């Protein structure tokens, strides 16, 4: 069964011109890498494209038809404000409607969201209210709130910001979801971030049967170095935290899901949960259910 990734993309007016071109290039670098990973390791990845500006919409639902994903990316255009909360809600609904989890050598591997923004969230009630709503949405993805909205496991968010982004907000989103955040100085560096997200999953596929290696930041650094990626320590640490969260191995995840402290409730209404559908570009209404996908024959049999 494929891994699920939602690309949650800021297409507000500040991304016009070079910004939207570089974003499209970065997304295509990601899709090229995902396709190459599928050929090399048999680990396929379902990808969804969700955009947010003055409104949020699912441009492409989760699928491993990468031609459809590229078509969705190519259709993006910039304009409007930055309704990040609405974007997060659209991503959450996509996970609930079409997402799932898989088993990788006996360990649960959850979906992830990759959030890209170059600005601060906006809301009719003002910037501070917009931030509060975004943080409430982040809680719904993370260990403190995933059960309240019907997710079987928490979903980490990998944030990449540039331009006039709110660094403290991205850091908070990453913390609340056991994800990571990176701020790039130049919009052209987006492609590097997206490429490294591909390599992180390739690392997981390579060492799927060796838990000690999967947990090793040194092993990840060596793996990336062999591929010509000189990753700074802060980003490397974030990548490892993201991977451990996806594998449900982070300390916070284990403490929360195995009887830790009481969890605060997410500051949003729970969305209705639906059954997984496969390679569909439009939501399909089904009966509420909760399930975990598993490979039938064990390690690495994850097609």
């Amino acid at each position: 069964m494929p891994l699920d990734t939602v690309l949650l993309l800021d297409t507000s007016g500040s991304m016009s011109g070079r910004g939207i071109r570089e974003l499209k290039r970065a997304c295509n670098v990601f899709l090229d890498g995902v396709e190459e990973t599928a050929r090399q390791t048999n680990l396929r990845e379902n990808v969804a494209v969700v955009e947010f500006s003055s409104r949020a919409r699912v441009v492409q639902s989760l699928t491993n038809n990468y031609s459809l994903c590229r078509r969705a990316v190519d259709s993006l255009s910039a304009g409007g404000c930055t309704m990040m909360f609405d974007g997060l809600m659209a991503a959450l609904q996509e996970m609930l409607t079409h997402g799932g989890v898989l088993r990788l050598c006996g360990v649960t591997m959850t979906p992830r969201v990759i959030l890209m923004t170059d600005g601060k969230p906006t809301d009719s009630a003002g910037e501070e209210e917009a931030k509060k709503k975004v943080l409430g949405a982040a809680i719904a993805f993370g260990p403190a709130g995933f059960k309240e909205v019907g997710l079987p496991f928490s979903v980490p968010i990998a944030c990449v910001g540039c331009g006039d982004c709110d660094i403290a907000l991205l850091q908070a989103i990453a913390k609340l979801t056991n994800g990571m955040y990176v701020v790039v100085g130049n919009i052209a560096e987006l492609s590097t971030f997206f490429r490294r997200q591909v390599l992180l999953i390739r690392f997981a596929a390579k060492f799927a049967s060796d838990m000690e290696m999967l947990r090793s930041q040194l092993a990840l650094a060596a793996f990336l170095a062999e591929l010509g990626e000189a990753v700074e320590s802060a980003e490397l640490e974030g990548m490892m935290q993201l991977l451990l969260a996806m594998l449900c191995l982070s300390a916070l995840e284990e403490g929360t899901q195995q009887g830790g402290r009481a969890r605060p409730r997410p500051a949003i209404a729970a969305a209705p949960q639906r059954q997984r559908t496969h390679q569909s570009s439009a939501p399909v209404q089904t009966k509420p259910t909760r399930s975990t996908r598993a490979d039938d024959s064990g390690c690495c049999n994850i097609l």
Side-chain angles (χ1 to χ4, degrees):
M1 291 289 185
L3 173 69
D4 293 334
T5 295
V6 174
L7 302 181
L8 180 56
L9 309 173
D10 181 348
T11 55
S12 60
S14 57
M15 285 292 293
S16 60
R18 185 187 178 195
I20 197 70
R21 290 195 300 271
E22 291 292 346
L23 177 59
K24 290 180 180 182
R25 185 168 75 93
C27 290
N28 280 303
V29 165
F30 177 82
L31 292 169
D32 289 346
V34 165
E35 206 162 14
E36 180 65 21
T37 298
R39 287 194 295 266
Q40 290 184 4
T41 69
N42 287 334
L43 195 163
R44 295 191 178 184
E45 193 162 351
N46 282 338
V47 179
V49 179
V50 178
E51 68 167 339
F52 62 95
S53 53
S54 296
R55 65 186 180 100
R57 70 184 183 108
V58 177
V59 188
Q60 174 59 55
S61 289
L62 285 162
T63 181
N64 54 31
N65 184 331
Y66 305 123
S67 295
L68 292 178
C69 294
R70 290 188 178 90
R71 191 179 307 163
V73 168
D74 290 343
S75 74
L76 299 176
S77 60
C81 54
T82 312
M83 304 296 286
M84 190 183 297
F85 169 78
D86 292 350
L88 286 165
M89 290 297 92
L92 176 61
Q93 187 61 60
E94 177 63 17
M95 292 288 187
L96 290 168
T97 305
H98 297 124
V101 296
L102 58 83
R103 300 287 289 180
L104 185 65
C105 289
V107 176
T108 299
M109 193 164 192
T110 73
R112 62 178 167 172
V113 174
I114 299 178
L115 165 64
M116 180 275 149
T117 183
D118 78 331
K120 297 178 174 65
T122 52
D123 187 88
S124 59
E127 185 175 314
E128 289 306 311
E129 182 62 24
K131 290 181 182 180
K132 289 179 183 178
K133 289 172 68 174
V134 166
L135 292 176
I139 289 173
F141 284 87
F146 72 93
K147 290 182 179 179
E148 301 294 337
V149 296
L151 289 170
F153 290 91
S154 62
V155 175
I157 301 178
C159 306
V160 57
C162 61
D164 192 35
C165 68
D166 187 328
I167 298 175
L169 181 63
L170 297 184
Q171 185 177 21
I173 293 170
K175 184 176 181 180
L176 287 168
T177 66
N178 282 349
M180 65 174 291
Y181 80 100
V182 171
V183 177
V184 297
N186 189 309
I187 191 74
E189 297 174 37
L190 282 177
S191 293
T192 299
F193 174 85
F194 277 79
R195 182 175 65 250
R196 288 173 179 174
Q197 288 297 306
V198 170
L199 297 180
L200 182 64
I201 301 306
R202 202 170 293 175
F203 171 79
K206 180 175 181 179
F207 296 107
S209 60
D210 190 335
M211 192 57 60
E212 184 176 351
M213 292 293 283
L214 278 181
R215 290 174 178 266
S216 172
Q217 189 168 309
L218 288 175
L220 176 60
F223 175 82
L224 293 170
E226 288 179 1
L227 298 172
E229 298 287 339
V231 184
E232 293 184 2
S233 58
E235 183 175 357
L236 184 66
E237 183 178 344
M239 292 176 72
M240 177 54 63
Q241 177 172 296
L242 177 69
L243 178 60
L244 294 181
M246 292 179 71
L247 294 169
C248 300
L249 296 174
S250 68
L252 180 59
E253 185 88 353
E254 288 178 347
T256 303
Q257 293 182 182
Q258 295 178 11
R261 292 179 297 177
R263 299 176 288 115
R265 297 174 68 90
I268 60 170
Q273 189 174 2
R274 296 176 175 86
Q275 187 179 20
R276 168 84 187 203
T277 60
H278 296 282
Q279 300 184 21
S280 171
S281 58
V284 178
Q285 302 292 331
T286 59
K287 296 186 295 181
T289 184
R290 173 177 295 175
S291 62
T292 300
R293 290 182 289 161
D295 55 333
D296 296 326
S297 57
C299 177
C300 296
N301 183 19
I302 49 180
L303 272 173

